[in-house]
Amino acid sequence: MSIAVFYGSTTGNTEEVGNKIVAKLSGLDIDTYNVSDTPVAVVEAYDLIIFGIPTWDYGEIQENWLEVWEEVDDLDLSGKTVAFYGLGDQYGYPEWFLDAMGMLHDKVVARGAKVVGHWPVEGYEFEASKALTADGKHFVGLAIDEDWQRDQTDERITRWTQQLLTETGLST
Ligand SMILES: Cc1cc2nc3c(=O)[nH]c(=O)nc-3n(C[C@H](O)[C@H](O)[C@H](O)COP(=O)(O)O)c2cc1C
């Protein structure tokens, strides 16, 4: 199974978390791309794509993702497995927590991809998020808050990557 991490990051947090995800999936060959310098269509070459996106400016898409936002609608992701991780600030922006992850999720699902890696909402405090599953019990991907819960990030990444390995059948 070919695997890519594809992220955008304004101040480096999403990049750093992407590197940690790759490190936790050691033993697997994973290519990492920054949306600021790689056409988003590169993801079509992979079986499993892990998308990383922070939310900015009251529920907005991160700036580099915004530049390619319409190109996502042209991707052919049928047969692909995808997972998401989102960065946000739950206390600073509680009405828009991780919104961009939800918006990217909806676009990618519309292109035919199957999603793995839903993540429980327990342990976070926020008022609203576009990144929730229909029943509101999960985020559509891993939720990371480097502003307030940095000390939990490594443990969350460890648990989530294990979950991904199980859900994709990559772990034995
Ligand atoms: C001006 C500003 C606006 C932000 N708006 C949101 C927001 O609407 N929702 C959210 O969850 N996080 C928001 N954040 C928090 C960022 O998503 C968070 O700091 C993230 O770790 C940044 O990731 P990056 O370093 O990869 O760009 C905002 C941060 C700043 C500085």
Side-chain angles (χ1 to χ4, degrees):
M1 185 183 259
S2 55
I3 308 174
V5 171
F6 196 93
Y7 69 88
S9 185
T10 299
T11 59
N13 291 334
T14 309
E15 179 171 32
E16 189 184 338
V17 169
N19 291 338
K20 287 183 173 183
I21 289 169
V22 171
K24 281 290 169 192
L25 294 170
S26 60
L28 297 174
D29 191 15
I30 303 176
D31 294 329
T32 303
Y33 300 101
N34 188 326
V35 66
S36 71
D37 56 28
T38 309
V40 69
V42 76
V43 301
E44 290 181 342
Y46 295 87
D47 302 311
L48 170 63
I49 308 140
I50 301 172
F51 289 105
I53 183 166
T55 302
W56 277 86
D57 300 328
Y58 307 95
E60 294 294 332
I61 306 303
Q62 186 265 341
E63 57 188 344
N64 302 116
W65 269 112
L66 198 53
E67 285 165 23
V68 304
W69 200 236
E70 305 208 334
E71 294 169 32
V72 178
D73 296 323
D74 295 328
L75 295 175
D76 178 3
L77 298 175
S78 50
K80 308 290 183 191
T81 302
V82 296
F84 300 87
Y85 71 97
L87 279 275
D89 171 347
Q90 63 196 291
Y91 295 111
Y93 304 88
E95 294 166 61
W96 304 274
F97 186 44
L98 305 172
D99 273 3
M101 177 166 68
M103 291 151 82
L104 181 60
H105 165 274
D106 292 351
K107 277 168 99 71
V108 165
V109 167
R111 304 312 303 152
K114 175 192 161 202
V115 181
V116 294
H118 286 176
W119 186 250
V121 295
E122 280 84 31
Y124 303 87
E125 285 183 45
F126 59 96
E127 288 165 30
S129 173
K130 289 186 175 152
L132 296 176
T133 55
D135 65 6
K137 294 180 177 165
H138 290 81
F139 294 109
V140 295
L142 176 63
I144 295 291
D145 185 341
E146 287 286 271
D147 296 280
W148 296 97
Q149 296 180 331
R150 182 175 279 263
D151 56 339
Q152 296 185 50
T153 294
D154 287 0
E155 191 260 336
R156 284 171 168 163
I157 291 171
T158 300
R159 276 170 47 214
W160 186 70
T161 50
Q162 284 304 315
Q163 180 185 327
L164 281 195
L165 292 174
T166 305
E167 290 184 27
T168 56
L170 282 166
S171 68
T172 49

